[in-house]
Amino acid sequence: MTSALPRLLVVTDRHGAARPLSATVGEAVAGGARFVWLRDRDLDRAARRELARELLDLVRPVGGRLVIGGDADLAAATGAQGVHVPGSAGIDGIRVARERLGSAALIGFSAHSVAEIAAAEAAGASYATLSPIFPTPSKPGYGPALGLEALRAASARRLPVFALGGIGADDAAACREAGAAGLAVMGGVMRGSDPRSAVARFVAALT
């Protein structure tokens, strides 16, 4: 499954979206998004389950994939394609998620160092995000931006690495040249007035 991962991973944030999250994701899908990470972990379980089902209804018709942030049980219950394990869960979270969802599931991991990328690969992750690559208000508390050199070092491994943090469409070429499998974008899509056009620009830049 990982060999054919889309190059753009859209990360949800309903607090930053100007419209209901399902509508924002619908616009993103219309713009070409085929890989979505349902973050929004502050929702209660019932509301998050309903939202996951709404998003699956959007991505399935176009062959897209949805991963659920931090909840393998919810991924299994809704039929999502996988789970994205937060860094706070540690590397063991990858192994637990794999045991819960099986070998075919997508298991992502939020890494904040090159060492964590190596550990995630060893633990059996399908892909990882590395952040923050550039300065961003969405990723406080993780220290200074890692930059393209860290991305290059992380991407030298076999695990697909998605650059996350402060990334615009104009940064796509540099991130890809550094070896990134793709880009993970939250604010650049969620907070804009035109998510469809924003995604289309990212997809074009990554093509």
Side-chain angles (χ1 to χ4, degrees), residues 53-107:
R53 288 172 174 160
E54 290 176 5
L55 300 192
L56 280 166
D57 286 343
L58 293 170
V59 300
R60 277 177 175 151
V62 296
R65 302 169 188 186
L66 178 73
V67 291
I68 308 294
D71 194 335
D73 288 339
L74 182 58
T78 58
Q81 284 72 36
V83 66
H84 191 101
V85 177
S88 59
I91 297 301
D92 283 343
I94 298 171
R95 299 188 182 96
V96 170
R98 181 64 71 197
E99 291 172 2
R100 176 68 179 88
L101 297 176
S103 60
L106 284 174
I107 309 295

Side-chain angles (χ1 to χ4, degrees), residues 9-172:
L9 172 57
V10 173
V11 188
T12 71
D13 175 20
R14 74 186 192 286
H15 298 297
R19 53 180 63 78
L21 186 57
S22 58
T24 301
V25 172
E27 287 295 302
V29 169
R34 299 294 180 265
F35 191 14
V36 177
W37 163 11
L38 173 55
R39 202 164 171 263
D40 293 271
R41 294 182 63 191
D42 58 322
L43 284 168
D44 66 58
R45 188 169 182 79
R48 201 164 186 238
R49 181 172 57 249
E50 180 59 29
L51 182 55
R53 288 172 174 160
E54 290 176 5
L55 300 192
L56 280 166
D57 286 343
L58 293 170
V59 300
R60 277 177 175 151
V62 296
R65 302 169 188 186
L66 178 73
V67 291
I68 308 294
D71 194 335
D73 288 339
L74 182 58
T78 58
Q81 284 72 36
V83 66
H84 191 101
V85 177
S88 59
I91 297 301
D92 283 343
I94 298 171
R95 299 188 182 96
V96 170
R98 181 64 71 197
E99 291 172 2
R100 176 68 179 88
L101 297 176
S103 60
L106 284 174
I107 309 295
F109 182 73
S110 291
H112 305 290
S113 69
V114 177
E116 286 184 335
I117 293 289
E121 180 179 50
S126 307
Y127 72 92
T129 56
L130 181 65
S131 68
I133 300 302
F134 302 123
T136 170
S138 299
K139 287 284 177 182
Y142 291 115
L146 297 171
L148 291 172
E149 286 307 309
L151 180 60
R152 184 172 288 108
S155 299
R157 310 196 69 86
R158 295 178 62 186
L159 184 70
V161 175
F162 286 76
L164 172 63
I167 294 170
D170 291 343
D171 300 306

